[in-house]
Amino acid sequence: MAKGMTRHHPIPAAALVAAFALSTACTYGHSSSPLSPTTPGGSNSPTPMTGLWATQTASLPSPSSCGNLMWSISNQTSTTISGTFTADCPGGVSVSGNASGQFIDSQHVPITVTGTATGVSGIASCPFTINANGVIQDSNTLQVTYTGTTCVGPLQGTQTLRRATASTPPPPTPPPPAPPPPANILPASQVTFVNNPPDIASWAVTAKITFVQFRSDALIVDFDRRTGDNAWPDLPFDPGGSLSGGGIQYTLGLCFNLNGWYCSAAIQFWQGRELEAGAAPSSIPQTWYYDSRWAPMNGYLPAQGETVGIFVVHGNVRNLHDGSQLLAHERSEIVLVPFDRGNGTSYTFSQGRLLKR
């Protein structure tokens, strides 16, 4: 404590305040040069300094300084900065107040800190004022050198404050997009079903087309649930009916792109029925979609090489506009192939994907 000071002034808190002023940015108390603010926007324009500046690690105050300095700069103009500060000082003293500075150039800023120290034994509070010179080392680092005399005696020293930078978390990784369907698969959600239950698109895909051939006498279509241990069983011809009058294993259908995709399963097969029942490709307007029940598909014959869709549905869906009573709601994917009017072109698939022509 300086000679001549009364005992009610030995407040280490003031020292803490001085240290905080130092951390806030600059001891300028002993400078005799007048302030010369920079021109906004010039090459010497001050660094933007708003934000929270603090010592980087928790520190205990020394006999002539304080620790845990924090300066929250909330206001800045082209020539000044200001904000509030806090610090911890020896003897359990806390300080708080205001710190303001004025730029000399883009790197140097003198700062004045004023406030009160509380927690001093026997004294309610102790006012203080400290000057400091600050040097901006980079956009987030401020070094301050301070000197002054407070109610706790002379203070001096150098401290470094760093601005807290918000760590912006990276945006969450979006889930990978669903893989697009293979080029030879027509999404059922993109078609209109004609003379069939309208919700066929939502039915489970439990079968895969394995072979297609456009013979002159028949459109041959085979799939993996037609025969074998995993074959689709016959279902009653009518929803809610019985097999006593015979059943249908599946219904074969085609899709045409008529300013939008239209599909209809129309040819009924029971277990053991010959694949040649698909009829000649060239006869489709007469044997498949021959009246207005299948509009706009009725009477249409695709051109040679025109892309068409082929699919099968479990059970009978021909002339059925409500499939809620069916015992199964299963279908294959819709495979896309070039139409052949009867030249024998064939296509082989694996897991519904076209392997070869």
Side-chain angles (χ1 to χ4, degrees):
M1 178 177 296
K3 183 178 181 180
M5 295 184 68
T6 60
R7 290 186 59 83
H8 67 279
H9 290 298
I11 301 176
L16 162 51
V17 171
F20 181 86
L22 145 67
S23 69
T24 57
C26 24
T27 40
Y28 187 67
H30 297 283
S31 173
S32 59
S33 301
L35 299 180
S36 178
T38 59
T39 301
S43 60
N44 291 325
S45 294
T47 299
M49 296 188 67
T50 54
L52 179 63
W53 298 75
T55 51
Q56 290 301 287
T57 57
S59 58
L60 296 176
S62 72
S64 60
S65 65
C66 302
N68 301 327
L69 310 176
M70 288 189 292
W71 184 17
S72 179
I73 302 176
S74 56
N75 298 292
Q76 180 172 355
T77 69
S78 60
T79 59
T80 64
I81 51 175
S82 62
T84 60
F85 73 86
T86 61
D88 297 330
C89 296
V93 175
S94 298
V95 298
S96 62
N98 298 296
S100 60
Q102 192 167 18
F103 292 101
I104 294 177
D105 54 35
S106 62
Q107 187 177 12
H108 301 88
V109 53
I111 299 173
T112 299
V113 182
T114 59
T116 57
T118 58
V120 181
S121 177
I123 300 176
S125 64
C126 172
F128 66 87
T129 300
I130 294 179
N131 295 319
N133 286 325
V135 177
I136 301 170
Q137 296 184 332
D138 58 46
S139 60
N140 294 309
T141 306
L142 176 67
Q143 185 181 70
V144 292
T145 301
Y146 66 95
T147 60
T149 300
T150 70
C151 60
V152 296
L155 297 170
Q156 63 178 6
T158 299
Q159 294 192 27
T160 299
L161 300 183
R162 295 187 183 277
R163 175 162 45 184
T165 55
S167 178
T168 303
T173 303
N184 69 284
I185 300 297
L186 174 62
S189 60
Q190 298 179 9
V191 310
T192 299
F193 287 92
V194 178
N195 203 28
N196 289 159
D199 62 343
I200 287 179
S202 65
W203 295 9
V205 175
T206 62
K208 304 292 184 183
I209 302 295
T210 58
F211 181 75
V212 173
Q213 186 178 33
F214 293 92
R215 288 176 12 188
S216 60
D217 63 331
L219 172 58
I220 304 297
V221 177
D222 203 356
F223 63 101
D224 61 355
R225 299 291 299 274
R226 189 178 68 87
T227 60
D229 294 339
N230 198 34
W232 278 343
D234 283 353
L235 296 179
F237 185 86
D238 295 318
S242 68
L243 290 175
S244 59
I248 299 296
Q249 184 188 24
Y250 66 96
T251 314
L252 173 64
L254 290 173
C255 300
F256 302 154
N257 189 356
L258 305 172
N259 294 318
W261 283 98
Y262 294 86
C263 301
S264 182
I267 307 302
Q268 301 150 326
F269 288 80
W270 51 87
Q271 286 188 338
R273 189 183 190 191
E274 68 282 2
L275 294 181
E276 287 77 7
S282 60
S283 72
I284 285 174
Q286 295 80 38
T287 58
W288 286 55
Y289 311 125
Y290 47 83
D291 63 32
S292 60
R293 285 176 292 173
W294 289 281
M297 301 175 70
N298 56 307
Y300 184 76
L301 179 64
Q304 182 72 21
E306 178 180 342
T307 299
V308 298
I310 299 176
F311 68 107
V312 293
V313 181
H314 190 187
N316 175 43
V317 293
R318 176 188 173 107
N319 298 325
L320 186 65
H321 300 148
D322 180 1
S324 60
Q325 299 302 310
L326 288 175
L327 299 181
H329 295 86
E330 302 176 57
R331 63 176 177 87
S332 72
E333 291 179 314
I334 304 172
V335 297
L336 295 173
V337 294
F339 188 79
D340 180 358
R341 291 189 173 184
N343 297 309
T345 305
S346 62
Y347 302 91
T348 302
F349 302 82
S350 176
Q351 296 298 311
R353 276 50 176 172
L354 182 63
L355 287 182
K356 64 180 181 178
R357 175 175 173 175

